Amino acid sequence: MTMQKYRLLKFVMYFVSSTAIGQCFTVGADLSYVNAVLSNGGIYRDANNNVINPFQLFAQSGATMTRARLWHTPSNINSSCNAPITSGSLADVISTFQQAKAQGMKLNLAIHYGDYFNDPGTQKRPQAWMGLSQNVLLDSIYNYTFSVLNKLKNNGVTPDIVAIGNETTWGFIDETATTDGWSWPTDAQKFNRGFAAVDAFNSANSTSVKKAVHFTDNTASWLAGLFATNNITNFDMIGISFYPNISNFTNLQQLSNLISQLKNTYNKEIMIFETGAPWSTSFADNYNNVCNNYGNFNYSVTPQGQKTFLNDLAQTVYAAGGKGVLYWEPAYISSTMCDKWGQGSSYENMSFFNFNAANKALPAFDFFNFCNNLKTNSIENNNVDVALVPNPTNNYFKVISDFQALSYNITDLSGRVLNSANMKEETISISNLPEGIYFVTIQFENYSVTKKLIKENSIRD
């Protein structure tokens, strides 16, 4: 008997409920340098050119979370102006968090476990911990983590999320200046003592601070598996750094796939902890900027390009089931502030402020309005009953509702409209769509309904 092969179209629809949209999605910013910038003459202006407190501006624009980094003893490091560094201290973090909380924002703490920046190439332990044996080091990690959380609580700013380490991709709390790679089980013990301290703090205070690890997009899949293999599993969230200019990815669908894979494989929440996007290749000072392009991604280095990238990124992360996107240092404008390497800012062309217009707010602030923008395409009436019945052989699905559907549009993960038409016989065609993830918004007279669509072709015998 001849077996005939045929293609079967598989597609799955999900409701995007108004409750989910209301709580929606975390959009926020790392504002670690704001205090230092303000104390060194930095001035922030809103879109109407009015001088404004930056915490107020970010919150009013829709930001729902502030991230801040914590260094153990930053005063051990001298700046390029030959003065001890004070930003990133516990006192500085407390001040940042108090201002952010006063504006209604949630709090995300990044503990670097070093005196200065720790990142993929550097995981140097603080000077106070040099030469410690493993057992004494583990006690120090535990006691330090617990005491930090306790001090924050006593100052009214218990964080919602705490990351044990920052961009720990090739080692953790090393003695060498350049990270020396992974060592098992000693590095696993370090992470687990940090997690245990958060657990103990939560137990003692009836709090629910979430525990996070922090990877880069290029290493996250490998590291999640490596951590699981080495029994580093007692955490709630995977934070990811995604900078398009240094990412190996060539499109946002690859990031979407990564988020889905991590979320489904390890049952962890996923959030973008850091991202950055340039709006200019110019500069406001003599401190060289760290980035002037989008790498493999096709976005213009303009204010509109920055805004478009961020909205596309938020849509991608949201659709993939991620919990949020935080932008790294959008308030890092030029001032007389000195870090270890220079004076001014190495990031003013990636900030959310136009230094050519006296630090006036840029269109990128619209990124923080993501949930409100999304809500306009969501269910406005919880009592509306809408069903989509697929017809796999004819590449369409039928809309079944008590009300007349008027029109529809189909968007991709970046929010670009692919199909848009008035309704004909209550059917929506997807024949011209390749495999992928989409959003279908159906417009009724007084409301709209949005559903997620996954189209997949497969061969059946």
Side-chain angles (χ1 to χ4, degrees):
M1 183 175 65
T2 300
M3 299 296 292
Q4 182 180 10
K5 291 186 177 181
Y6 63 92
R7 297 192 68 80
L8 175 67
L9 176 70
K10 298 191 299 182
F11 45 123
V12 184
M13 281 70 69
Y14 300 92
F15 278 108
V16 181
S17 71
S18 58
T19 300
I21 297 297
Q23 300 167 349
C24 183
F25 188 76
T26 297
V27 282
D30 189 312
L31 300 177
S32 296
Y33 267 150
V34 166
N35 292 332
V37 168
L38 287 171
S39 64
N40 282 277
I43 296 175
Y44 299 93
R45 298 179 187 273
D46 63 20
N48 295 318
N49 214 32
N50 300 309
V51 175
I52 190 170
N53 176 281
F55 292 97
Q56 179 185 356
L57 176 59
F58 279 89
Q60 288 179 351
S61 300
T64 56
M65 177 172 284
T66 290
R67 181 174 182 253
R69 61 179 166 269
L70 173 65
W71 295 322
H72 188 283
T73 311
S75 58
N76 286 332
I77 309 297
N78 271 0
S79 74
S80 61
C81 297
N82 200 31
I85 289 174
T86 57
S87 65
S89 67
L90 185 55
D92 186 41
V93 170
I94 289 171
S95 174
T96 296
F97 278 174
Q98 286 176 334
Q99 294 174 85
K101 185 176 180 180
Q103 296 295 331
M105 290 186 278
K106 294 184 178 180
L107 311 175
N108 183 319
L109 177 67
I111 306 180
H112 281 231
Y113 294 97
D115 287 336
Y116 206 50
F117 280 103
N118 278 339
D119 54 35
T122 303
Q123 291 293 326
K124 189 175 181 180
R125 68 181 63 176
Q127 183 177 310
W129 295 356
M130 289 295 179
L132 297 182
S133 67
Q134 176 73 354
N135 287 339
V136 176
L137 176 63
L138 294 176
D139 285 344
S140 298
I141 293 169
Y142 180 95
N143 293 331
Y144 171 69
T145 305
F146 189 95
S147 66
V148 162
L149 293 173
N150 206 48
K151 187 68 174 290
L152 293 172
K153 176 188 72 70
N154 290 340
N155 281 274
V157 285
T158 301
D160 299 278
I161 299 169
V162 58
I164 304 302
N166 182 77
E167 294 182 331
T168 52
T169 65
W170 188 235
F172 187 45
I173 313 182
D174 300 330
E175 287 202 303
T176 56
T178 302
T179 183
D180 57 8
W182 296 113
S183 178
W184 311 115
T186 55
D187 282 334
Q189 293 167 351
K190 298 172 189 176
F191 280 103
N192 287 329
R193 288 301 283 165
F195 299 147
V198 181
D199 288 340
F201 173 82
N202 281 335
S203 178
N205 295 283
S206 299
T207 51
S208 54
V209 178
K210 290 184 178 180
K211 298 162 290 185
V213 293
H214 184 185
F215 307 143
T216 65
D217 63 311
N218 297 329
T219 61
S221 183
W222 167 63
L223 286 170
L226 186 66
F227 275 35
T229 299
N230 287 281
N231 197 34
I232 308 173
T233 59
N234 181 26
F235 59 91
D236 308 294
M237 177 177 289
I238 297 174
I240 298 173
S241 289
F242 172 65
Y243 291 94
N245 65 303
I246 56 175
S247 176
N248 291 336
F249 294 160
T250 59
N251 57 70
L252 290 175
Q253 182 61 51
Q254 291 172 296
L255 178 64
S256 174
N257 294 342
L258 172 66
I259 293 170
S260 297
Q261 179 249 325
L262 293 174
K263 180 176 180 287
N264 296 331
T265 303
Y266 302 102
N267 195 30
K268 306 295 184 183
E269 296 180 2
I270 312 298
M271 183 180 288
I272 302 298
F273 275 4
E274 296 185 22
T275 192
W279 58 269
S280 174
T281 58
S282 297
F283 44 86
D285 51 42
N286 293 322
Y287 192 170
N288 289 336
N289 292 336
V290 298
C291 172
N292 289 300
N293 60 71
Y294 284 87
N296 297 320
F297 293 80
N298 187 27
Y299 292 91
S300 63
V301 183
T302 62
Q304 184 59 45
Q306 183 188 47
K307 172 185 171 179
T308 300
F309 167 77
L310 288 171
N311 286 331
D312 287 357
L313 176 61
Q315 181 67 66
T316 298
V317 176
Y318 175 80
K323 290 294 184 180
V325 176
L326 308 179
Y327 193 94
W328 192 82
E329 293 280 27
Y332 184 13
I333 61 173
S334 187
S335 67
T336 61
M337 184 190 78
C338 295
D339 64 13
K340 183 179 179 180
W341 304 284
Q343 184 176 37
S345 172
S346 59
Y347 208 74
E348 75 270 25
N349 70 318
M350 298 176 75
S351 76
F352 283 8
F353 298 88
N354 187 343
F355 51 80
N356 296 320
N359 295 329
K360 181 180 175 181
L362 287 165
F365 271 95
D366 183 64
F367 155 67
F368 298 121
N369 205 34
F370 174 77
C371 286
N372 287 334
N373 292 338
L374 190 63
K375 190 173 181 180
T376 63
N377 293 326
S378 69
I379 300 172
E380 298 295 341
N381 186 335
N382 283 329
N383 296 319
V384 175
D385 186 14
V386 178
L388 300 181
V389 180
N391 187 325
T393 60
N394 290 326
N395 281 288
Y396 73 84
F397 51 84
K398 187 173 182 63
V399 179
I400 299 176
S401 173
D402 292 336
F403 302 92
Q404 177 67 42
L406 303 177
S407 62
Y408 70 90
N409 65 60
I410 300 176
T411 58
D412 62 15
L413 290 175
S414 67
R416 296 181 177 90
V417 177
L418 304 179
N419 290 352
S420 183
N422 293 327
M423 296 295 297
K424 295 180 180 179
E425 298 180 355
E426 302 291 308
T427 60
I428 297 176
S429 173
I430 55 173
S431 59
N432 67 326
L433 298 180
E435 294 185 21
I437 302 173
Y438 306 94
F439 285 95
V440 181
T441 300
I442 306 165
Q443 184 65 49
F444 295 85
E445 184 174 358
N446 297 313
Y447 57 89
S448 61
V449 173
T450 297
K451 293 193 176 189
K452 181 179 176 182
L453 168 75
I454 301 173
K455 180 179 179 182
E456 178 182 289
N457 292 323
S458 62
I459 298 291
R460 291 279 182 89
D461 287 334

